[in-house]
């Protein structure tokens, strides 16, 4: 009775036409001795032509795939391995190949990884002696221990407050100590002098105001007339037809030079 309870189910598949039971027993004793002690092998040949294995989901403890071509097991077959294996079950893929096997190892590892298997490991199987064929290498991987549709509660990370350690012995720099006496002095505003602070040109005028005032005296101009700007062409009073492009009187009516320019009351009124 105990032997029946401890007995495991192993599925052996191959893309060949014949797979001896003795070869399956020899390989599983070498590879699955740490996983399965007693097992009842189920053998399926020409598995590359099968779309779905005639087994229920999560009904097999281990899968042994013996391949003689580079296309087996395909991505779809690896997905079938994952379907029929029990959670935590193991898959063994053994290749009967000669020559360079590095690229093929990476291909098989990729296929079982995409099928959802964990921890793919490469195995050297040249030491296993079989009567009908010789093995080159193998890939061992495990199905996750959880079932499809299982849910797990995620633990929220504990909130860790940022701690700032202040060292009382740490030397702090006083910002005021970085300032010099020159930096603390109140800036002195420049004192206005010369013609800017007087109504008339100063005694030693160099800005040209004294010359303008002398010319105004000769012409008999008033102070308001002096403040009216004049261009260098002297045609400001003749109208826009005679004024230059930068004339300050552009757009104003004609006037007599020396007189203060004044606008009529209706100058700013709309024409319409």
């Amino acid at each position: 009775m105990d032997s029946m309870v401890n007995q495991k189910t192993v599925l052996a598949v191959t893309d060949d036409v014949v797979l001896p039971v003795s070869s399956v027993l020899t390989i599983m004793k070498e590879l699955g001795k740490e996983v399965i002690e007693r097992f009842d092998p189920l053998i399926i040949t020409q598995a590359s032509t099968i779309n779905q294995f005639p087994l229920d989901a999560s009904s097999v403890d281990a899968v042994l795939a013996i391949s003689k071509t580079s296309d087996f097991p395909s991505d779809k077959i690896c997905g079938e391995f994952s379907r029929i294996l029990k959670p935590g079950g193991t898959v063994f893929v053994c290749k009967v190949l000669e020559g360079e096997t590095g690229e093929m190892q990476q291909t098989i590892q990729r296929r079982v990884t995409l099928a959802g298997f964990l921890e793919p490991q490469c195995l050297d199987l040249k030491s296993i002696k079989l009567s009908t064929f010789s093995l080159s290498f193998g890939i061992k991987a495990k199905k996750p221990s959880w079932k499809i549709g299982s849910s797990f509660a995620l633990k929220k990370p504990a909130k860790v407050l940022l701690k700032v350690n202040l060292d009382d012995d740490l030397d702090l720099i006083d910002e005021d100590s970085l300032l010099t006496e020159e930096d603390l002095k109140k800036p002195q505003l420049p004192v206005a002098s010369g013609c800017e602070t007087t109504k008339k040109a100063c005694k030693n005028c160099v800005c040209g105001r004294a010359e303008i005032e002398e010319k105004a005296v000769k012409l008999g101009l008033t102070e308001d007339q002096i403040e009216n700007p004049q261009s260098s062409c002297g045609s400001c009073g003749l109208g826009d037809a005679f004024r230059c492009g930068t004339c300050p009187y552009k757009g104003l009516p004609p006037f007599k030079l020396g007189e203060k320019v004044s606008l009529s009351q209706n100058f700013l009124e709309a024409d319409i």
Side-chain angles (χ1 to χ4, degrees):
M1 183 70 177
D2 295 337
S3 61
M4 295 294 294
V5 174
N6 296 330
Q7 189 170 342
K8 304 295 183 180
T9 302
V10 175
L11 174 64
V13 297
T14 182
D15 56 343
D16 200 357
V17 179
V18 178
L19 179 60
V21 177
S22 59
S23 299
V24 175
L25 297 176
T26 302
I27 296 173
M28 288 304 300
K29 287 181 180 179
E30 294 292 333
L31 301 182
K33 55 186 177 181
E34 297 179 359
V35 180
I36 298 174
E37 295 181 356
R38 298 180 181 181
F39 62 93
D40 181 18
L42 302 175
I43 300 177
I44 298 178
T45 59
Q46 299 179 342
S48 58
T49 61
I50 299 177
N51 294 328
Q52 184 174 356
F53 294 133
L55 296 171
D56 296 333
S58 302
S59 60
V60 176
D61 296 284
V63 172
L64 172 62
I66 300 177
S67 172
K68 292 190 177 182
T69 62
S70 58
D71 297 332
F72 183 82
S74 62
D75 294 336
K76 189 173 183 179
I77 295 297
C78 290
E80 277 295 292
F81 294 163
S82 178
R83 182 185 69 85
I84 64 176
L85 270 174
K86 296 179 180 179
T90 307
V91 59
F92 302 94
V93 180
C94 303
K95 300 295 292 185
V96 183
L97 292 175
E98 296 180 357
E100 184 63 32
T101 58
E103 183 177 355
M104 182 56 60
Q105 290 179 3
Q106 296 178 0
T107 302
I108 298 301
Q109 286 182 331
R110 179 188 62 82
R111 290 175 183 175
V112 297
T113 301
L114 293 179
F117 291 97
L118 306 177
E119 303 175 1
Q121 302 176 8
C122 186
L123 306 174
D124 187 4
L125 306 182
K126 295 179 181 180
S127 60
I128 299 179
K129 303 299 182 179
L130 301 175
S131 58
T132 56
F133 53 85
S134 298
L135 300 177
S136 177
F137 71 92
I139 300 297
K140 174 184 175 182
K142 294 188 64 176
K143 182 180 178 179
S145 58
W146 42 266
K147 294 183 179 180
I148 297 177
S150 301
S151 61
F152 301 90
L154 299 178
K155 295 182 179 180
K156 295 182 178 180
K159 295 182 178 179
V160 180
L161 299 178
L162 181 62
K163 296 182 179 180
V164 179
N165 296 325
L166 297 179
D167 189 357
D168 297 337
D169 298 333
L170 183 64
D171 294 335
L172 300 178
I173 299 176
D174 187 4
E175 296 179 356
D176 295 336
S177 64
L178 302 177
L179 302 176
T180 62
E181 295 182 359
E182 295 294 332
D183 297 330
L184 298 176
K185 288 184 179 180
K186 185 178 180 180
Q188 298 293 333
L189 298 177
V191 180
S193 60
C195 301
E196 298 178 356
T197 59
T198 59
K199 293 184 178 181
K200 296 183 178 181
C202 56
K203 185 176 181 180
N204 299 322
C205 179
V206 293
C207 65
R209 183 173 178 179
E211 297 177 357
I212 297 176
E213 291 179 356
E214 290 178 2
K215 184 178 179 180
V217 172
K218 292 180 181 179
L219 298 176
L221 300 177
T222 62
E223 184 177 353
D224 292 337
Q225 292 172 340
I226 295 174
E227 293 179 354
N228 284 328
Q230 297 182 11
S231 64
S232 59
C233 65
S235 302
C236 300
L238 299 179
D240 288 344
F242 302 93
R243 293 169 182 163
C244 59
T246 59
C247 182
Y249 297 98
K250 196 79 171 179
L252 297 180
F255 60 90
K256 292 181 180 181
L257 295 177
E259 294 182 353
K260 184 176 181 181
V261 180
S262 60
L263 301 178
S264 59
Q265 294 182 356
N266 60 350
F267 183 78
L268 297 177
E269 295 180 0
D271 295 337
I272 300 177

